[in-house]
Amino acid sequence: MKTKILHTAFLVLFFTANAFAQESTPSNALYTAHNKGKFFFHMGGNRAYYTTSDLHFDGQGYNFTVENAQSHDLPKGWNIDYITPGKLTTSQTNWKAGYFFHDKFNVSVGVDHMKYVMTQNQTALINGNINLPSSEVGSAFNGIYNNKPVDLSDGKFLKFEHTNGLNYVFTEVAHYVDISSLFGIKNTDIFQINFTQGVGMGLLVPRTDATVLGKERHDEFHISGYGFSTDAGLNFTFFKHFYAQTELKGGYINMTDVRTTYTDEHAQHHFWYGETIVSFGGIFRL
């Protein structure tokens, strides 16, 4: 009698669990209806935009600030280098890899490889002082500067670039919403449109090309500061696994320790930035 009761209880439990599983995960559910457990990766290119910033330089025999320095990015346009191994960093590129821990939320890590160039063709106000030994070429600029305008166009006073590059290494949490129904799309396994938005934070690891008063430049990767970012965009997924993504991204960067020479001399600056990004990638459940 006990055996029959146990068998009956087991069968009821089995069929109840089976029915619940079928109800929670219908066999005819579209692959794109649920994201939890999926991994994704994409790469692409960017255009970057920067506010003006006060560039402060501190070293042996000098301490000065370039006020409200203008800057720009260094676009390469449509080029095979965006997908050529060994040449990826010659362009302004982006990489991101992540995991959906919820149908609508994911966490990711990525690198925004932007390029930052202080505009050379400008006259900027300089504050501070320069007192270099007469044996150095930069001694030609010795003096006390009090809002003194200096023409930077010839590069002899200063050249300052993060061209390899302004590398923002970040982690991000993002929210995805399927908006396909707004466009009358029913079979999202063929084509799906998602709205994405995220917030991130990370470190700046530039390789800076700076020539300050004719001194030898420090041309190596160095952790130079931190940043915060937010973004929003549209994700277009084709045939469940492949997608193109467009994003508008912006944030704040504070670079407190930019190496400029091999004698432990530094620069500092902080600014707001914006990016337009186009990427291509894939999404899979392993």
Side-chain angles (χ1 to χ4, degrees):
M1 187 64 177
K2 284 186 177 180
T3 303
K4 290 183 178 180
I5 293 174
L6 290 174
H7 284 173
T8 302
F10 176 77
L11 289 173
V12 171
L13 180 62
F14 174 78
F15 285 115
T16 301
N18 189 55
F20 178 78
Q22 289 182 352
E23 181 180 351
S24 62
T25 310
S27 59
N28 61 347
L30 294 174
Y31 181 84
T32 49
H34 300 280
N35 286 322
K36 185 177 180 180
K38 293 179 182 177
F39 293 85
F40 64 90
F41 171 80
H42 63 246
M43 63 177 296
N46 69 73
R47 286 297 310 270
Y49 313 90
Y50 313 107
T51 61
T52 59
S53 62
D54 296 338
L55 299 173
H56 180 73
F57 296 87
D58 185 14
Q60 298 178 12
Y62 65 90
N63 189 316
F64 67 88
T65 300
V66 181
E67 307 289 344
N68 295 313
Q70 300 174 14
S71 60
H72 57 272
D73 67 344
L74 194 64
K76 201 167 186 177
W78 295 99
N79 197 290
I80 192 70
D81 288 352
Y82 281 100
I83 57 173
T84 303
K87 292 187 177 182
L88 296 178
T89 59
T90 65
S91 306
Q92 297 181 180
T93 49
N94 303 72
W95 305 275
K96 186 188 287 185
Y99 172 75
F100 277 92
F101 60 89
H102 183 280
D103 278 348
K104 294 185 178 181
F105 292 92
N106 67 61
V107 61
S108 62
V109 293
V111 179
D112 288 357
H113 179 77
M114 299 173 280
K115 294 184 183 291
Y116 176 103
V117 180
M118 184 197 75
T119 301
Q120 209 65 58
N121 187 24
Q122 66 175 303
T123 297
L125 298 180
I126 310 296
N127 282 297
N129 62 83
I130 301 172
N131 185 23
L132 297 176
S134 58
S135 58
E136 295 190 22
V137 295
S139 63
F141 299 102
N142 282 355
I144 297 175
Y145 293 76
N146 185 13
N147 281 331
K148 181 178 179 179
V150 174
D151 184 1
L152 304 178
S153 58
D154 61 6
K156 293 181 179 179
F157 184 87
L158 175 67
K159 174 186 175 184
F160 186 76
E161 304 177 354
H162 307 297
T163 46
N164 199 23
L166 184 64
N167 300 309
Y168 175 46
V169 183
F170 63 91
T171 184
E172 180 180 271
V173 175
H175 179 229
Y176 270 47
V177 179
D178 183 353
I179 60 172
S180 303
S181 60
L182 298 179
F183 302 91
I185 300 170
K186 295 181 178 180
N187 189 348
T188 55
D189 277 2
I190 295 178
F191 181 55
Q192 182 184 40
I193 303 177
N194 298 287
F195 174 72
T196 76
Q197 52 187 337
V199 292
M201 62 183 298
L203 299 175
L204 276 299
V205 191
R207 187 173 177 180
T208 302
D209 179 0
T211 304
V212 183
L213 302 172
K215 292 176 175 286
E216 182 183 6
R217 66 180 185 172
H218 178 278
D219 189 19
E220 295 180 4
F221 293 107
H222 178 67
I223 297 176
S224 300
Y226 60 89
F228 302 97
S229 59
T230 182
D231 58 69
L234 293 174
N235 171 282
F236 305 93
T237 300
F238 305 88
F239 305 110
K240 301 187 290 187
H241 297 299
F242 309 99
Y243 64 85
Q245 185 161 308
T246 60
E247 294 176 82
L248 294 177
K249 186 171 184 176
Y252 172 76
I253 286 174
N254 188 1
M255 304 183 75
T256 60
D257 184 25
V258 180
R259 289 294 304 275
T260 55
T261 72
Y262 281 96
T263 55
D264 199 30
E265 300 178 343
H266 306 266
Q268 300 176 354
H269 65 138
H270 57 90
F271 52 91
W272 296 88
Y273 77 98
E275 284 182 89
T276 54
I277 304 170
V278 177
S279 303
F280 301 91
I283 179 169
F284 300 89
R285 180 178 284 112
L286 300 181

